[in-house]
Amino acid sequence: MVSLETLTPFQDKPIEPWQFQLISPHNRIAGLYIYHFEWVFGLEYDGFPYSSELNTMSVSKDIRPYLEKGLLILIPTADVLERAYEMLIYNNKRPREPDERKRFEEFGTGPWEYTIMPGRWDRKTKKSSLPPLFDCSPDGTLIPFSFDDCDYDTLPRFTSVVHPLIVIMLHRMNIRDDHPSMTIQEKLIAPLEKVLCKWPEWQHNRFLPMANAKFKREYDVGRKIVCRCLRCLENTPSTTTASSSELEDTYTDDEEEVGKEGREDEYKELSRIANERISVWRGCLEGVASNHDDVKHDDILDRYAQECTDAADKVMLRQEEERAKREALAAEMQGDFPSKKKSRLS
């Protein structure tokens, strides 16, 4: 059985063990995703276990660069990936308070099983991008090992206490190539891709109360919570653990999502009313459209029906204003047929 502690690319160099951190606190790429991880996988703010055994494993020193660059990867089992997917979806749903999330500790305890395989493949030759590797046997003999002839059942597997959610984070940082074997794609890559495809893209730090979010209380973990999203940087003199009133002028695409989810029923009703009114308006303009090509496709009215993303009073006000304009325009145009007066609806 191949182990990351005994795998080496050198025949004339002794194997040196190394404690490898999957996610390093000094990794700038990890900094782009760490607050996403802490939120969707139920950790406290700034609570990622960098120095824990959940993030550290023993490997041969010469294999470490391949793990860091995604040339050699670990994949959890399909049932573990499915649990990770369910936790991510549950915790990422808005609105949700920080203490309503499923917790990191609830995921379970190890050791967990992992499959070892290359993460990069030559598209033409369908061979792995790894150099020739050797597995060191207990008596010191180096045995050549290649992943190229391995299929799903013959890929090496091992158990480790390193946490599968952290392994998923490593995959988010290092996107791997498609594996040439369809069996491996279906049984290993597809379950992993299912999780990665749902990785959050919001920018505002969710540990901070957001505008329009109806938190019952402020969330405080005893230290400043920073948000580096563009809106917060533009609208606050410094990043602070501000109350929702201090953030009332900030806005992100994620906040729009919060509003849509919270008022879904209201939007459905507004859409119904808007469509009813549009049918009435189109009836008023039907005779006009038959003589004026430029009002046959009334895209503005279609947009009113589809959007409805403002507060109800604003939508209704806009509709009333538009109704009055349309009725006046229809009456005016019906009196101008002989002169073929150009429509102002273009």
Side-chain angles (χ1 to χ4, degrees):
M1 176 65 70
V2 174
S3 168
L4 294 177
E5 295 176 315
T6 59
L7 210 56
T8 177
F10 302 109
Q11 299 184 64
D12 55 353
K13 183 178 178 181
I15 294 178
E16 182 181 349
W18 191 268
Q19 292 301 303
F20 168 62
Q21 277 189 324
L22 278 73
I23 307 298
S24 168
H26 308 296
N27 190 311
R28 298 178 67 180
I29 297 177
L32 300 174
Y33 308 113
I34 198 68
Y35 297 144
H36 292 156
F37 182 97
E38 291 174 342
W39 181 271
V40 297
F41 290 133
L43 285 169
E44 295 296 312
Y45 174 76
D46 204 22
F48 190 91
Y50 288 106
S51 58
S52 167
E53 64 177 1
L54 302 176
N55 184 49
T56 307
M57 62 190 310
S58 179
V59 303
S60 69
K61 185 176 180 180
D62 298 316
I63 289 297
R64 184 189 64 169
Y66 304 146
L67 293 167
E68 291 175 336
K69 297 176 182 178
L71 295 174
L72 191 62
I73 61 176
L74 320 174
I75 300 185
T77 59
D79 62 321
V80 169
L81 288 169
E82 183 63 26
R83 288 173 58 197
Y85 174 82
E86 292 172 356
M87 175 177 279
L88 187 155
I89 295 299
Y90 180 87
N91 286 346
N92 197 43
K93 183 175 176 59
R94 296 300 306 266
R96 191 176 302 287
E97 292 192 60
D99 56 2
E100 292 176 336
R101 298 170 300 153
K102 292 183 177 180
R103 307 299 295 181
F104 183 83
E105 297 78 8
E106 297 172 18
F107 197 84
T109 58
W112 289 277
E113 180 181 298
Y114 295 98
T115 300
I116 311 173
M117 58 178 286
R120 299 284 184 269
W121 298 85
D122 187 292
R123 293 186 178 182
K124 293 182 178 180
T125 64
K126 295 186 178 181
K127 301 294 184 180
S128 73
S129 300
L130 287 168
L133 297 176
F134 301 90
D135 184 30
C136 184
S137 65
D139 61 4
T141 303
L142 293 177
I143 304 171
F145 181 83
S146 173
F147 287 96
D148 295 335
D149 298 327
C150 293
D151 206 342
Y152 175 75
D153 293 328
T154 55
L155 283 172
R157 292 169 175 82
F158 75 106
T159 58
S160 173
V161 294
V162 71
H163 204 287
L165 296 180
I166 297 177
V167 172
I168 292 171
M169 171 76 170
L170 189 63
H171 282 292
R172 182 63 184 86
M173 296 163 51
N174 298 316
I175 305 300
R176 98 254 112 237
D177 293 338
D178 290 337
H179 194 281
S181 166
M182 290 304 299
T183 305
I184 292 177
Q185 285 276 55
E186 293 173 0
K187 294 187 176 182
L188 290 176
I189 305 301
L192 174 63
E193 191 66 28
K194 180 180 177 181
V195 181
L196 296 180
C197 284
K198 292 297 183 180
W199 193 272
E201 297 180 358
W202 40 264
Q203 296 179 353
H204 182 87
N205 191 334
R206 286 193 174 177
F207 288 100
L208 280 172
M210 295 193 304
N212 301 326
K214 297 180 180 178
F215 283 99
K216 297 176 183 177
R217 59 172 178 77
E218 293 183 15
Y219 182 66
D220 183 11
V221 293
R223 57 155 294 165
K224 283 188 175 181
I225 301 176
V226 298
C227 181
R228 299 183 179 89
C229 77
L230 184 60
R231 280 288 177 175
C232 285
L233 291 177
E234 288 179 349
N235 289 282
T236 58
S238 62
T239 52
T240 63
T241 173
S243 66
S244 56
S245 62
E246 290 175 300
L247 291 172
E248 62 184 2
D249 292 331
T250 65
Y251 178 83
T252 65
D253 291 340
D254 193 52
E255 292 169 30
E256 181 179 2
E257 175 190 346
V258 174
K260 287 182 180 178
E261 290 180 356
R263 300 197 301 263
E264 184 177 359
D265 292 339
E266 179 183 345
Y267 292 157
K268 288 180 180 179
E269 179 63 10
L270 282 173
S271 181
R272 182 188 66 78
I273 295 172
N275 279 301
E276 287 182 356
R277 292 191 173 191
I278 284 171
S279 64
V280 174
W281 297 339
R282 282 212 170 98
C284 296
L285 294 173
E286 187 174 356
V288 180
S290 64
N291 292 275
H292 292 71
D293 292 338
D294 54 355
V295 296
K296 283 186 178 179
H297 303 290
D298 201 339
D299 295 333
I300 296 177
L301 288 177
D302 285 334
R303 194 171 71 244
Y304 271 87
Q306 293 170 3
E307 289 182 351
C308 290
T309 56
D310 291 334
D313 55 345
K314 293 183 180 180
V315 172
M316 302 306 289
L317 177 60
R318 289 166 61 193
Q319 289 180 341
E320 287 297 329
E321 291 174 348
E322 190 65 22
R323 180 189 61 79
K325 292 179 183 178
R326 297 291 171 121
E327 288 181 352
L329 182 59
E332 178 185 343
M333 294 177 68
Q334 286 175 351
D336 290 338
F337 288 164
S339 62
K340 297 289 184 180
K341 193 173 183 178
K342 181 174 178 58
S343 168
R344 286 179 287 174
L345 285 177
S346 57

